[in-house]
Amino acid sequence: MGLIVQQHEVDADGLAELRRPRSDVVAERPDGEDRWVAAEGPLERYERSLSVADTGDDTFEVTERIDFRLAVPVWRWLLHLPFRRALRVRRNATTQPWWAPPDRLAPRAATVLSLLAGLAIIDGYLGTLLSQTITFAADEFDASDSAQGATLAAVRIGVLVSIGATALADRHGRRRLLVITIVAACLATAATAAAPSLWWYGVSQTIARGLTTGVGIIIAIIAAEEAPARSRAYTASILSMTAALGSGMVVWLLPLASLGEWAWRILFLVPLVWAPLAWWLCRSLPESRRFEVTAAARKRRVPGVVRGGWRRIDPSMRSRLALLAASGFLLSLFTAPASQFQNEFLRSERGFSASQLAAFTLITNTPAGIGVVVGGRLADVYGRRRIGALGLVGGVGGTVAMYLTFGWSQWMWSVVGGIVGALTVPALGVYGPELFATGARGRANAAIVTVGVAGSSVGLLTAGVLSDNLGNFGAAMSVLAIGPLIVALLVLFVYPETAGLELEEINPGDRDPDGGTDTDDTATTTDPPPAAGAVDSDSDPGPERHERSEGPGHAPTAES
């Protein structure tokens, strides 16, 4: 609970201003004489009251009391102070603090985002263990570099597990599948600690990574379905940052692996602590209202609601799936090898030591968080297309320049590429949840991720061949950069602009014929209507290097 007490000495105009209901971080409504409560805002409890004393000479001494409690159960300790500061000073009704979303969050939305951010930390931790520990596991199992490569490639088959999990989420509910999937992912990850060989290490991680990918997709879907129309990209940026925090926890604990040949296993036991926390967070999470509307429509057998199967989904939705899947494939052709081969490039072509590699990664990747946060707000305010295309061109350009330069300029270009490229995380990550009806959202995003995984495999193989034939990684990355540049053109000229639109405007078939917000998987059309700034996806579209970002339809959740 927060309590703010302020003393004011004001004239009649100042008193009238204090008595005017606020409309900034909180929207007030009168609740008695000189007393106001919250009509809108991310608050579990809110009350503002005034005690007025007339001192004569047309001046008044006013005691203002504000009693509040944020509706953010997981992060209240972090947000309490900045929100308290925002309440002390009135702002223009059209502006929000820099750290707040463009839209004022309702209590439910704030609670859901808080819980999802906690789950994203767990998902980020689980999704990062493989790449950080496989070298230590290979040492214990006396496995060759080729065996490591084969294991990393084989683990990608786990994406099939995520397809099943997200398809079931479309049928049986986001919350139910999320709790099952994330707890199972924790247990499967913990099982890796008992792996007797690299083969069993790979098998357990194939299952665990597939489940983890499914968790990330479901988290992104729930966030999109619950966030306000002008804050979906902001929400994606918050989830990306908290996932990066979970990913960073693996790096924090990595020194434990030096305790002994077996010590890498300690990191895989941590998910046994995550599992009960994940269960609690999921149990506190409400089911997506949009899914509940769709489920009710199915029970009523509303015309147009399909019981399953891609063949009966309307053609415009399939064209959107093809667009995002192709973009994910082309983007992964570059991002996967650019990330995976960076250490090899720095070591073999630039002579970096192990400590220099660690310093380069930490110093050049950390500032990318700026791009994620800024990109979320810019994409909601100025549109997905412009910010997404800028992020693609700038991020790819900076990364290629890093591979082609030497010395301090190499560090500078890596920082620039990381910050600018991070703009794409929220700007393009929201398209997957946004462009599909509620009944098909999970399956569509799983399909996009699957195609992105295929693109990353092709990119890794191609980069290896090109670097051998062209003599260096810089030339190979320059060739592969063609893929993301094509995606940038698609974003500018083919993608629809979805910023500021409700999901029902983007997918009109989601509207409930009885007047609610029905969402089904066979909308007669999924193009946004021309009203309210919407555009036809066939005419005027719109608007980290991150291993798990397999395309613009999937908001990254780990592995930075």
Side-chain angles (χ1 to χ4, degrees), residues 257-474:
S258 63
L259 295 177
E261 193 177 53
W262 53 271
W264 59 269
R265 299 173 186 270
I266 298 174
L267 278 72
F268 285 90
L269 295 176
V270 173
L272 293 178
V273 178
W274 288 134
L277 175 60
W279 182 87
W280 177 81
L281 290 171
C282 289
R283 295 291 294 178
S284 302
L285 190 71
E287 179 57 87
S288 162
R289 284 184 292 192
R290 283 185 165 96
F291 173 81
E292 290 178 333
V293 171
T294 297
R298 283 192 176 121
K299 289 181 180 179
R300 300 197 311 270
R301 298 188 176 275
V302 172
V305 178
V306 173
R307 271 63 189 167
W310 283 109
R311 289 181 300 174
R312 298 175 62 188
I313 294 177
D314 86 80
S316 62
M317 191 183 298
R318 277 184 247 138
S319 68
R320 291 178 174 187
L321 176 63
L323 175 63
L324 293 188
S327 300
F329 185 91
L330 292 170
L331 190 56
S332 296
L333 283 176
F334 176 84
T335 56
S339 172
Q340 293 293 301
F341 286 121
Q342 178 176 290
N343 282 357
E344 176 63 20
F345 156 73
L346 293 173
R347 186 186 61 81
S348 62
E349 296 188 23
R350 297 294 186 264
F352 275 46
S353 66
S355 59
Q356 287 175 316
L357 288 175
F360 185 89
T361 301
L362 180 63
I363 293 172
T364 63
N365 282 3
T366 301
I370 299 172
V372 174
V373 175
V374 173
R377 175 170 285 276
L378 293 179
D380 279 326
V381 174
Y382 297 105
R384 322 287 198 225
R385 293 183 301 175
R386 286 181 289 178
I387 304 305
L390 173 64
L392 285 171
V393 174
V396 171
T399 302
V400 171
M402 183 273 292
Y403 272 92
L404 294 174
T405 54
F406 298 82
W408 67 268
S409 60
Q410 187 174 30
W411 294 66
M412 179 196 71
W413 282 117
S414 183
V415 171
V416 170
I419 293 175
V420 180
L423 296 174
T424 63
V425 174
L428 301 184
V430 293
Y431 271 112
E434 286 180 337
L435 293 187
F436 301 97
T438 303
R441 197 163 280 137
R443 287 174 288 156
N445 280 267
I448 293 166
V449 171
T450 301
V451 176
V453 168
S456 65
S457 298
V458 174
L460 289 167
L461 294 173
T462 304
V465 173
L466 288 175
S467 63
D468 288 339
N469 287 281
L470 299 177
N472 60 78
F473 280 109

Side-chain angles (χ1 to χ4, degrees), residues 92-116:
N92 187 300
T94 61
T95 63
Q96 293 286 315
W98 65 267
W99 47 266
D103 277 334
R104 187 187 299 115
L105 295 181
R108 176 188 170 104
T111 299
V112 169
L113 177 57
S114 172
L115 294 170
L116 291 179

Side-chain angles (χ1 to χ4, degrees), residues 41-356:
L43 296 153
E44 185 179 293
R45 172 183 169 81
Y46 177 86
E47 178 183 315
R48 183 171 71 94
S49 61
L50 300 178
S51 297
V52 182
D54 188 346
T55 60
D57 299 326
D58 295 325
T59 61
F60 303 88
E61 288 186 356
V62 181
T63 301
E64 181 181 35
R65 294 174 57 91
I66 302 175
D67 190 4
F68 72 98
R69 180 181 176 86
L70 290 169
V72 283
V74 179
W75 304 95
R76 187 177 292 125
W77 60 273
L78 180 64
L79 296 175
H80 178 85
L81 184 58
F83 199 87
R84 179 186 178 91
R85 288 177 176 172
L87 286 176
R88 292 182 68 89
V89 180
R90 289 185 180 231
R91 302 175 66 90
N92 187 300
T94 61
T95 63
Q96 293 286 315
W98 65 267
W99 47 266
D103 277 334
R104 187 187 299 115
L105 295 181
R108 176 188 170 104
T111 299
V112 169
L113 177 57
S114 172
L115 294 170
L116 291 179
L119 292 168
I121 290 179
I122 299 173
D123 189 53
Y125 184 93
L126 299 178
T128 308
L129 280 170
L130 175 66
S131 63
Q132 293 295 323
T133 62
I134 189 170
T135 183
F136 300 100
D139 282 345
E140 180 180 352
F141 301 135
D142 196 24
S144 64
D145 289 345
S146 60
Q148 291 185 55
T151 301
L152 288 170
V155 164
R156 293 180 182 273
I157 299 173
V159 74
L160 299 176
V161 178
S162 67
I163 293 176
T166 51
L168 290 172
D170 281 341
R171 296 294 303 166
H172 301 290
R174 318 304 195 202
R175 177 175 172 272
R176 180 185 301 180
L177 265 295
L178 182 59
V179 66
I180 293 172
T181 305
I182 195 168
V183 172
C186 289
L187 297 179
T189 301
T192 307
S197 66
L198 189 64
W199 189 87
W200 282 108
Y201 175 97
V203 169
S204 61
Q205 276 299 283
T206 297
I207 299 171
R209 287 280 296 221
L211 292 167
T212 301
T213 301
V215 169
I217 295 172
I218 297 172
I219 287 175
I221 288 173
I222 296 174
E225 291 179 344
E226 292 290 332
R230 293 178 59 248
S231 297
R232 286 193 295 268
Y234 169 89
T235 298
S237 70
I238 294 299
L239 295 178
S240 296
M241 291 297 293
T242 51
L245 176 60
S247 183
M249 289 179 179
V250 178
V251 180
W252 301 346
L253 296 176
L254 198 59
L256 294 175
S258 63
L259 295 177
E261 193 177 53
W262 53 271
W264 59 269
R265 299 173 186 270
I266 298 174
L267 278 72
F268 285 90
L269 295 176
V270 173
L272 293 178
V273 178
W274 288 134
L277 175 60
W279 182 87
W280 177 81
L281 290 171
C282 289
R283 295 291 294 178
S284 302
L285 190 71
E287 179 57 87
S288 162
R289 284 184 292 192
R290 283 185 165 96
F291 173 81
E292 290 178 333
V293 171
T294 297
R298 283 192 176 121
K299 289 181 180 179
R300 300 197 311 270
R301 298 188 176 275
V302 172
V305 178
V306 173
R307 271 63 189 167
W310 283 109
R311 289 181 300 174
R312 298 175 62 188
I313 294 177
D314 86 80
S316 62
M317 191 183 298
R318 277 184 247 138
S319 68
R320 291 178 174 187
L321 176 63
L323 175 63
L324 293 188
S327 300
F329 185 91
L330 292 170
L331 190 56
S332 296
L333 283 176
F334 176 84
T335 56
S339 172
Q340 293 293 301
F341 286 121
Q342 178 176 290
N343 282 357
E344 176 63 20
F345 156 73
L346 293 173
R347 186 186 61 81
S348 62
E349 296 188 23
R350 297 294 186 264
F352 275 46
S353 66
S355 59
Q356 287 175 316

